[in-house]
Amino acid sequence: MFRTALRNVLAHKARLLMTVLAVMLGVAFVSGTLVFTDTFGSAYKNKSAKSFDHVSVAVRPDGGSHDDDGQEAKQKPRLTDALLGKAKQLPGADSAIGAYSGFTAVADKDGKLVGGEWGTTGSNYYPGKGGKDPRYDFTAGHAPKSAADIALDSRTADRAGYKVGDTVRYSTDGPVKTARISGVFDTDDGSVVAGGSLVVFDNDTARKVLGKSEYDEIDVKAAAGTSESALKNAVEKLLPKDTEAETGASLKDEQDRMIEQNTSAMSQVLLIFAGIALFVGIFIIANTFTMLVAQRTKELALMRAVGASRRQVTRSVLIEAFIVGLVAAVAGFALGIGVAVGLESLMNAGGASLPDGPLIVAPTTIVVALLIGVVVTMLAAWLPGRRAAKIPPVAAMNSVHASPTMRGLVVRNTIGSIIVALGVVMLFMEDNYVIAGGAAVVLVGVIVLTPLLSRPFIAASGPLLKPFGVTGKLARLNSVRNPRRTASTASALMIGLTLITAMTVIATSLGSAINKMAAGSLKADYTVSMANYQPLSPQVRADLAKLPDVEASSPLRSTWGEADGTSTRITGVDPKSFGKLVALDYTSGSAAGLKSDSVLVDDGTAKKKGLKAGDTVPVKFDDDKTVRLTVAGVYESNEMLDGLFTPTAVVDPHLNKIADQQVLLKMKDGVSDASEDAVVKALGDNPAIKIQDKDDISNEIGGAINLILNMLYGLLAMAILVAVLGVINTLAMSVFERKHEIGMLRAIGLDRAKIKQMVRLESVVISLFGAVLGVGLGLFLGWVAGDSISGSVKTYTMEIPAGRILVFLAIAAVVGVLAAVWPARSAARLNPLQAIKSD
């Protein structure tokens, strides 16, 4: 049976080619993902491990002194110079350094931000033992010695074209400053390795410009002969309240775990789409083996007649599948290594600056790739093999192409209907995981029902095919000749388009909701914030308020606290200007009543506590102090504005550092180039500050949504490509199966051009069937998902992106035409006499 299976594989190399390609692409995606994430993770671990060489024990703050907005509750400094001095004097301590860290934006020579909005960091140079800081290895110049100097990491210096002696503009909390580059250094800092930038100040300047009242970390290096655990025990005796000590080994392990989590998350996302591609490939494999088995029905029947059992017949098909899967898996694994290298190059070209390291091909990756290729192929081939073994030998010898029984289709349709009904019920549950599972169940149910759905759709395409005359009629009849085959081919295309359509609907609707939210919540013409939304210096608002172009301005100065026991955000604002800058819907009171001892309360908090305008509410801040405020108004909250709003004079006494999250501006001339230029100049052309009008806010969030959507399109393109291979495969098999028929058509006068047209039209009909089914199902799932989103995003309403959907359908038609090129050409080149003679 093995020799027979091997002979059949070698005899049908061309017909199995598309199956091999489909499996190979899926395996390549999986193995490429695993190799890339292993390589990526290993390189980062090796690189980050070096940054702990100078740390035997690290002392850090323990617990939440910071809220989500970076504000701090008032408290005494803990990691002080006094504690650092004591750490240096410990027996077994070789040296100790104090570290500061904070946002520091650097402008390039064109005035633009270097290092992105989130990876721009500032730190301190702390001269330790021998007057050097072990964190930095200077390649040019020297460490900064005064407020007039800074040092810059070598990657940033190269990107921005800076060298020692150049003047650089930078900002830490709003106001722009200038300094001279005193030196350039190499570093193993993770944010720099990932494409960010690192600016180093002298210790005193860092404390001042980064606004620090204490060190962020104190690192102690053990002397020779002292273990990390022994040094940790000694350090712990010095620790003040709310601090903790960790060994360097623990920090390294923690860093490794974080890297593993990040790479695992990336890997899981990529593997999901690889799984989709493999799932689509199952339809191609099943189709191929169904047709191959159908064409060999007589041969299999003869094997049964001479003594082969059903199990042996099934086993012979599975052996074929094993050989095909193994070949595809090996080829896919080799291609996957190329995919991993390509991903690394692509990310580096995009500015990710991945650390250098050897390509990691783990044994588990090889095993997984081979298992996936073989198992997926054998699973897809099992049903066709089992079905062939069940055909009685005599019946099989009398009918080369046994048609599927009506009973089988009835059973299939019944099962499909039950699955769809179950999925629909799950879609309307409240749990998001159940809803996601329901979407998958509905998709599977529709796949099962596709043969039933194919007949009415293809019948409806009749008028569109009528202008093509006899070729159009033949294409329509050929499309419904084998509903299972048509359904299987269309399903492969349907899966990708279902996902693409659903995501497009959700993204479009969400973008529109954000536009409505921005337009409906703000009267302000501009919002001013740091590029990464870190706190702004109050000086920024003070400078802007002096502009003659500014009609009204207010800071948004946020912290956290409790309103009558309910945790909430508390935002300090200018009570005189706030009502002119925001558009809130009030259920009670108004912004006009906002004064020095009053507060605006969101409707959620008000409902919990039964509050209305005129009531008094106790508000407790993070410093455990409570003030009683009068409710000036109750407003309807949204995703942009929520929590409590009270004058800055109420909030300021409870903050460790006074800083603003944003500044709202209303200009006398509204939004205009002149107004924006005035604001930019008032802030000194600062690259760290972001100035946005309502459209900019919408475009920023919408741009992030579109970026994610485009990434998903790219990942799903693999599934679409596999689906195209399925169309080609089905048509090629169909042409081979209908040699006799095509020969007769040629003999009675149908020329080669008409034969090509017939195959092309059949391909377009099948492709459009899959596309229409996918778009329809995608719209339904998009509506269901949107219904759950609308509960949390009040401005969300479903919007159908008609333009993009038409593009999807047009792409499906083009796919049909392109997929038919090779099969149509093969059909047209058949010799009529030889084709008529074929069985």
Side-chain angles (χ1 to χ4, degrees):
M1 296 303 292
F2 179 81
R3 287 198 300 271
T4 302
L6 183 60
R7 188 194 67 228
N8 285 324
V9 169
L10 296 174
H12 302 120
K13 292 188 293 290
R15 274 175 274 171
L16 289 166
L17 176 62
M18 296 303 167
T19 295
V20 170
L21 286 174
V23 177
M24 182 181 75
L25 289 173
V27 171
F29 206 160
V30 171
S31 56
T33 297
L34 295 175
V35 170
F36 172 71
T37 51
D38 285 347
T39 301
F40 177 78
S42 174
Y44 261 111
K45 284 179 184 178
N46 293 336
K47 196 77 174 176
S48 65
K50 296 178 183 177
S51 63
F52 295 107
D53 288 347
H54 67 283
V55 183
S56 299
V57 176
V59 181
R60 294 172 165 180
D62 177 23
S65 63
H66 299 263
D67 68 20
D68 290 347
D69 297 303
Q71 294 283 14
E72 302 176 4
K74 280 198 168 182
Q75 61 181 14
K76 293 181 180 179
R78 296 156 297 182
L79 305 188
T80 61
D81 283 313
L83 179 62
L84 178 58
K86 292 178 182 178
K88 289 179 182 179
Q89 300 302 318
L90 279 174
D94 181 63
S95 63
I97 62 173
Y100 296 120
S101 181
F103 174 78
T104 303
V106 180
D108 63 16
K109 292 184 177 180
D110 295 325
K112 295 180 180 178
L113 183 65
V114 182
E117 296 176 356
W118 304 100
T120 52
T121 309
S123 187
N124 64 316
Y125 188 88
Y126 190 96
K129 196 171 183 180
K132 293 184 178 181
D133 190 324
R135 293 174 293 174
Y136 315 112
D137 180 17
F138 278 82
T139 58
H142 57 80
K145 297 178 180 178
S146 70
D149 295 337
I150 64 166
L152 202 60
D153 73 90
S154 56
R155 291 173 184 251
T156 301
D158 288 342
R159 273 182 294 166
Y162 284 130
K163 61 182 184 299
V164 173
D166 288 347
T167 299
V168 176
R169 296 167 64 245
Y170 72 92
S171 176
T172 57
D173 62 352
V176 69
K177 304 178 180 70
T178 58
R180 184 185 68 89
I181 297 177
S182 65
V184 174
F185 58 87
D186 286 337
T187 178
D188 297 314
D189 184 274
S191 64
V192 175
V193 173
S197 63
L198 179 59
V199 178
V200 171
F201 306 94
D202 71 276
N203 195 61
D204 291 338
T205 302
R207 184 194 301 263
K208 181 179 179 181
V209 300
L210 297 177
K212 300 292 182 177
S213 59
E214 63 175 299
Y215 291 110
D216 294 303
E217 182 172 309
I218 292 176
D219 297 330
V220 187
K221 176 71 174 174
T226 303
S227 68
E228 289 189 348
S229 57
L231 183 59
K232 180 186 175 185
N233 291 334
V235 169
E236 285 179 335
K237 295 176 182 178
L238 303 175
L239 295 185
K241 184 181 177 182
D242 295 331
T243 58
E244 61 180 356
E246 292 286 342
T247 64
S250 297
L251 294 175
K252 181 181 177 300
D253 290 342
E254 180 185 338
Q255 181 81 3
D256 287 350
R257 282 194 298 271
M258 289 177 61
I259 292 171
E260 284 178 7
Q261 287 175 359
N262 291 335
T263 54
S264 176
M266 182 196 308
S267 176
Q268 286 172 11
V269 171
L270 293 173
L271 288 175
I272 286 171
F273 290 94
I276 293 170
L278 282 167
F279 183 61
V280 170
I282 286 174
F283 293 94
I284 300 174
I285 301 163
N287 250 2
T288 302
F289 278 93
T290 297
M291 288 181 273
L292 285 174
V293 167
Q295 290 162 11
R296 290 165 40 212
T297 305
K298 278 189 175 181
E299 176 189 327
L300 295 174
L302 185 59
M303 290 171 62
R304 289 287 310 281
V306 297
S309 66
R310 285 185 178 183
R311 187 173 295 176
Q312 285 179 306
V313 170
T314 304
R315 194 182 301 154
S316 72
V317 176
L318 290 178
I319 290 171
E320 289 181 53
F322 173 82
I323 295 169
V324 171
L326 185 62
V327 170
V330 171
F333 175 72
L335 181 60
I337 294 175
V339 168
V341 173
L343 278 172
E344 185 175 2
S345 300
L346 186 64
M347 291 188 73
N348 282 327
S353 300
L354 300 184
D356 296 328
L359 197 68
I360 305 297
V361 182
T364 52
T365 301
I366 301 172
V367 173
V368 167
L370 296 179
L371 278 178
I372 286 176
V374 171
V375 171
V376 166
T377 309
M378 291 181 70
L379 282 176
W382 175 76
L383 191 59
R386 183 171 176 272
R387 193 182 297 135
K390 290 173 67 175
I391 301 174
V394 175
M397 288 182 185
N398 291 332
S399 177
V400 176
H401 306 298
S403 301
T405 63
M406 186 58 67
R407 179 177 173 276
L409 287 174
V410 170
V411 171
R412 176 171 177 157
N413 294 337
T414 303
I415 294 172
S417 300
I418 293 171
I419 294 173
V420 169
L422 175 63
V424 170
V425 171
M426 292 172 67
L427 286 173
F428 291 96
M429 297 291 184
E430 293 185 0
D431 187 276
N432 288 334
Y433 290 105
V434 175
I435 292 172
V441 171
V442 168
L443 182 60
V444 170
V446 172
I447 290 169
V448 176
L449 283 176
T450 312
L452 177 65
L453 300 172
S454 65
R455 289 187 178 276
F457 174 85
I458 293 171
S461 68
L464 297 175
L465 296 172
K466 195 170 184 180
F468 296 98
V470 68
T471 55
K473 184 176 181 180
L474 288 170
R476 179 173 59 82
L477 294 174
N478 288 333
S479 299
V480 294
R481 176 180 294 184
N482 190 327
R484 281 179 171 157
R485 182 188 303 167
T486 298
S488 184
T489 306
S491 293
L493 192 59
M494 178 196 75
I495 294 167
L497 284 174
T498 296
L499 297 172
I500 286 174
T501 303
M503 289 186 298
T504 303
V505 168
I506 294 168
T508 302
S509 303
L510 199 55
S512 178
I514 291 164
N515 288 339
K516 292 176 187 174
M517 196 186 303
S521 299
L522 294 176
K523 292 180 186 176
D525 295 314
Y526 294 104
T527 65
V528 178
S529 64
M530 292 296 286
N532 66 344
Y533 298 104
Q534 287 293 306
L536 274 169
S537 166
Q539 187 63 42
V540 171
R541 191 259 173 149
D543 291 341
L544 293 173
K546 296 174 186 176
L547 285 177
D549 307 81
V550 173
E551 180 180 317
S553 67
S554 173
L556 298 182
R557 192 170 295 165
S558 296
T559 185
W560 284 89
E562 295 179 0
D564 199 11
T566 300
S567 179
T568 184
R569 184 194 303 271
I570 306 171
T571 303
V573 298
D574 183 332
K576 295 179 181 178
S577 302
F578 189 62
K580 301 176 184 178
L581 297 164
V582 297
L584 296 175
D585 294 325
Y586 291 90
T587 58
S588 173
S590 70
L594 190 60
K595 297 177 182 177
S596 59
D597 59 349
S598 59
V599 64
L600 298 176
V601 182
D602 64 279
D603 53 350
T605 303
K607 286 177 184 176
K608 286 180 184 178
K609 300 300 177 182
L611 299 173
K612 62 183 184 301
D615 291 346
T616 300
V617 58
V619 176
K620 182 180 179 182
F621 289 86
D622 267 358
D623 60 356
D624 291 332
K625 293 181 180 179
T626 301
V627 295
R628 299 190 69 84
L629 301 174
T630 301
V631 178
V634 176
Y635 69 93
E636 294 182 6
S637 64
N638 57 48
E639 286 68 31
M640 294 192 71
L641 296 170
D642 67 348
L644 274 56
F645 291 96
T646 190
T648 53
V650 175
V651 174
D652 288 354
H654 307 281
L655 300 178
N656 189 45
K657 177 185 176 183
I658 296 175
D660 302 328
Q661 302 313 121
Q662 286 183 320
V663 174
L664 303 181
L665 296 178
K666 189 168 184 63
M667 312 298 288
K668 291 178 180 177
D669 298 329
V671 176
S672 67
D673 291 341
S675 295
E676 187 169 345
D677 286 344
V679 174
V680 170
K681 288 178 182 177
L683 298 175
D685 292 320
N686 195 330
I689 291 183
K690 186 180 294 186
I691 302 163
Q692 296 176 298
D693 59 23
K694 294 176 188 178
D695 289 341
D696 293 331
I697 294 171
S698 299
N699 291 338
E700 181 179 53
I701 302 173
I705 292 172
N706 286 331
L707 177 63
I708 294 171
L709 192 61
N710 290 334
M711 288 173 62
L712 295 177
Y713 283 171
L715 293 170
L716 284 170
M718 179 69 75
I720 301 295
L721 177 58
V722 173
V724 172
L725 295 176
V727 178
I728 296 171
N729 202 26
T730 296
L731 291 173
M733 292 290 190
S734 181
V735 167
F736 179 83
E737 195 176 85
R738 287 158 35 208
K739 274 185 180 180
H740 185 84
E741 176 189 318
I742 292 170
M744 289 295 294
L745 290 171
R746 289 292 312 281
I748 60 175
L750 205 65
D751 60 22
R752 288 185 173 182
K754 293 292 184 182
I755 292 291
K756 285 183 180 180
Q757 187 181 72
M758 177 186 71
V759 176
R760 277 197 299 267
L761 289 174
E762 182 182 349
S763 177
V764 170
V765 166
I766 294 173
S767 297
L768 284 177
F769 169 50
V772 170
L773 206 56
V775 166
L777 187 55
L779 289 173
F780 173 69
L781 295 179
W783 170 71
V784 172
D787 190 54
S788 63
I789 292 172
S790 62
S792 55
V793 182
K794 295 178 181 178
T795 54
Y796 186 95
T797 53
M798 180 177 172
E799 293 195 6
I800 298 176
R804 290 198 186 188
I805 287 174
L806 289 175
V807 169
F808 297 159
L809 294 174
I811 289 173
V814 172
V815 163
V817 172
L818 294 177
V821 170
W822 175 47
R825 188 181 177 195
S826 299
R829 293 176 65 183
L830 287 175
N831 184 298
L833 294 178
Q834 290 179 354
I836 290 172
K837 290 179 183 178
S838 66
D839 292 330

